[in-house]
């Protein structure tokens, strides 16, 4: 029994690493694509502020698990809200993860074609990336691989952040208000859901959750983009218009070796983030593995989406993520309230 428990704990840690990578990738993408052109110099405090809703979702999920007395969110929804509640939770989470996967794939392919100028059509590059994704998603290979390289990714991000901070200037934090309250409120809405994948930590056994996992994930997701954006004055950031080319324009100012390192890190984070999203969608849709071809279908759909125009695809996907995270947040709040009242009623009845 002890050996089985250790194995379950090890598997849970690999899944926590995968959830952490997806969270960091979502924060990086949103910061560079959306917040930088809108907020300008205000990014250094807007990025942490936009991560607060995701942190609150994770805290609500943790409180709901404590009140319900179970170990995972699917179990809590099934116990407190019945089968329909659990099915609704899985469906909303799967749709949001699928939108995140499509956005990650779009970011990756546009970085290839517009950022570094890779030869080939977006669909061809997406099919090549999809072929590699299918191999990575075999069984639990993807979470285990991410667990093995987690400190390599953290080290690469830390090197890039330090190099960026060495070139940053304190006067780049001004004007603190950016373009004003109205623009900041719009940016806050567009970026408020970027840290929602923190909730995925509570899809695993609560007793196996590493206490430092969430804080370290949040720090890795926030510090890297803030450090990069502090290199530039307010006016320069506002001139960033084309989202796929933003990251290329930003890291071009790093030292040559760090510039190459950042390119590799960005591509790897987007690729693995897309894989983690599809892996979760596959598990949510087919937890009993009755349809072994489902991951292939998900990868095919994600790759085929790149046949569409990238700007049109982003215009459709962005509202899905901006507003889509509110549905799981609302469900978590209902779960917490139901769990709390049932627990209190049980105590009073006892």
């Amino acid at each position: 029994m002890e050996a089985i428990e250790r194995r379950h704990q090890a598997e849970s840690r690999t899944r926590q690493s995968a959830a952490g990578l997806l969270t960091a990738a979502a924060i990086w993408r949103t910061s560079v694509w959306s917040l930088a052109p809108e907020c300008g110099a205000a990014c250094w405090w807007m990025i942490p502020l936009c991560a607060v809703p995701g942190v609150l979702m994770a805290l609500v999920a943790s409180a709901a698990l404590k009140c319900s007395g179970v170990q995972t969110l699917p179990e809590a929804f099934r116990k407190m809200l019945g089968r329909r509640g659990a099915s609704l939770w899985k469906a909303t989470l799967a749709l949001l993860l699928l939108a995140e996967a499509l956005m990650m794939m779009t970011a990756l392919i546009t970085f290839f074609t517009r950022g570094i100028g890779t030869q080939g059509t977006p669909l061809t590059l997406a099919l090549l990336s999809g072929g590699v994704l299918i191999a990575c998603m075999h069984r639990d290979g993807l979470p285990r691989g991410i667990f093995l390289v987690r400190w390599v990714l953290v080290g690469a991000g830390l090197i890039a952040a330090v190099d960026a901070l060495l070139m940053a200037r304190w006067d780049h934090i001004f004007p603190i208000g950016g373009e004003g309250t109205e623009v900041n409120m719009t940016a806050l809405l567009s970026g408020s859901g970027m840290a929602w994948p923190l909730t995925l930590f509570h899809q695993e056994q609560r007793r196996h959750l590493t206490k430092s996992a969430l804080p370290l994930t949040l720090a890795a997701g926030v510090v890297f983009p803030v450090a990069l954006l502090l290199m530039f004055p307010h006016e320069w950031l506002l001139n960033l218009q084309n989202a796929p080319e933003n990251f290329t324009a930003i890291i071009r100012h790093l030292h040559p070796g760090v510039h190459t390192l950042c390119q590799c890190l960005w591509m790897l984070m987007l690729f693995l983030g897309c894989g983690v999203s599809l892996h979760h969608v596959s598990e949510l849709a087919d937890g009993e593995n009755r349809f072994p071809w489902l991951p292939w279908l998900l990868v095919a759909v994600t790759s085929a989406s790149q046949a569409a125009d990238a700007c049109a695809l982003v215009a459709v996907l962005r509202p899905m993520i901006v507003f889509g995270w509110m549905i799981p947040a609302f469900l978590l709040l209902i779960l917490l309230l139901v769990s709390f009242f049932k627990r209190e009623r049980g105590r009073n009845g006892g």
Side-chain angles (χ1 to χ4, degrees):
M1 290 296 293
E2 185 178 350
I4 295 176
E5 180 65 20
R6 284 202 301 268
R7 180 176 180 180
H8 287 325
Q9 185 175 5
E11 291 294 334
S12 182
R13 290 186 65 187
T14 62
R15 292 173 178 272
Q16 289 176 38
S17 299
L21 182 138
L22 176 59
T23 304
I27 294 175
W28 292 7
R29 177 185 53 76
T30 306
S31 300
V32 173
W33 274 34
S34 301
L35 297 183
E38 294 181 18
C39 302
C43 277
W44 67 271
W45 61 269
M46 281 293 295
I47 293 174
L49 183 62
C50 287
V52 170
V55 176
L56 292 178
M57 284 181 66
L59 292 176
V60 170
S62 179
L65 291 178
K66 290 180 181 179
C67 291
S68 60
V70 295
Q71 293 294 316
T72 66
L73 282 176
E75 293 174 359
F77 276 99
R78 194 176 300 111
K79 179 181 178 181
M80 296 297 163
L81 301 176
R83 279 188 174 182
R84 291 184 179 179
S87 299
L88 182 60
W89 168 252
K90 289 182 178 181
T92 55
L93 207 61
L95 289 175
L96 190 55
L97 283 164
L98 183 59
E100 195 70 58
L102 292 170
M103 187 69 91
M104 294 281 184
M105 179 63 80
T106 304
L108 177 66
I109 300 305
T110 50
F111 181 70
F112 282 150
T113 56
R114 302 183 192 179
I116 58 179
T118 306
Q119 297 296 320
T121 64
L123 182 59
T124 303
L125 295 172
L127 291 175
L128 290 173
S129 302
V132 180
L133 264 182
I134 290 175
C136 292
M137 290 176 64
H138 180 65
R139 295 184 179 179
D140 289 327
L142 185 61
R144 293 174 184 175
I146 293 173
F147 180 77
L148 291 175
V149 302
R150 68 193 189 284
W151 292 117
V152 176
L153 298 175
V154 171
L158 187 61
I159 290 172
V162 170
D163 186 59
L165 287 174
L166 291 175
M167 291 187 284
R169 293 176 54 182
W170 285 109
D171 59 344
H172 289 169
I173 68 174
F174 300 103
I176 293 179
E179 287 294 280
T181 304
E182 185 177 350
V183 175
N184 289 339
M185 292 302 294
T186 303
L188 182 61
L189 176 63
S190 64
S192 57
M194 65 182 186
W196 76 265
L198 287 172
T199 312
L200 297 176
F201 281 94
H202 297 289
Q203 290 287 103
E204 306 302 322
Q205 295 286 333
R206 185 162 61 95
R207 65 178 182 274
H208 295 155
L209 181 61
T210 308
K211 292 183 178 180
S212 60
L214 269 70
L216 287 178
T217 298
L218 198 60
V222 169
V223 170
F224 179 75
V226 169
L228 287 181
L229 297 175
L230 282 176
M231 290 193 299
F232 306 101
H234 177 69
E235 294 76 13
W236 191 91
L237 292 174
L238 293 181
N239 288 329
L240 293 174
Q241 297 293 333
N242 194 342
E245 298 176 4
N246 286 357
F247 189 76
T248 306
I250 290 171
I251 64 173
R252 189 179 294 125
H253 297 268
L254 296 171
H255 291 100
V258 182
H259 170 251
T260 304
L261 180 67
C262 273
Q263 284 184 330
C264 297
L265 180 63
W266 181 250
M267 289 186 287
L268 194 58
M269 290 291 288
L270 293 175
F271 175 80
L272 293 177
C274 179
V276 171
S277 298
L278 294 178
H279 183 77
H280 277 288
V281 173
S282 177
E283 287 190 338
L284 289 167
D286 183 27
E288 299 177 0
N289 199 24
R290 291 176 297 179
F291 308 107
W293 44 264
L294 184 59
W296 294 65
L297 177 62
L298 292 172
V299 172
V301 170
T302 305
S303 301
S305 67
Q306 300 309 303
D309 179 68
C311 294
L313 195 60
V314 170
V316 172
L317 293 173
R318 183 171 287 171
M320 293 177 62
I321 296 176
V322 168
F323 299 104
W325 69 272
M326 298 178 185
I327 301 176
F330 181 67
L331 292 176
L332 285 173
L333 188 59
I334 293 177
L335 176 65
L336 176 60
L337 294 174
V338 172
S339 303
F340 176 77
F341 286 122
K342 283 189 175 183
R343 186 185 68 173
E344 292 302 311
R345 187 173 60 182
R347 285 179 178 179
N348 296 332

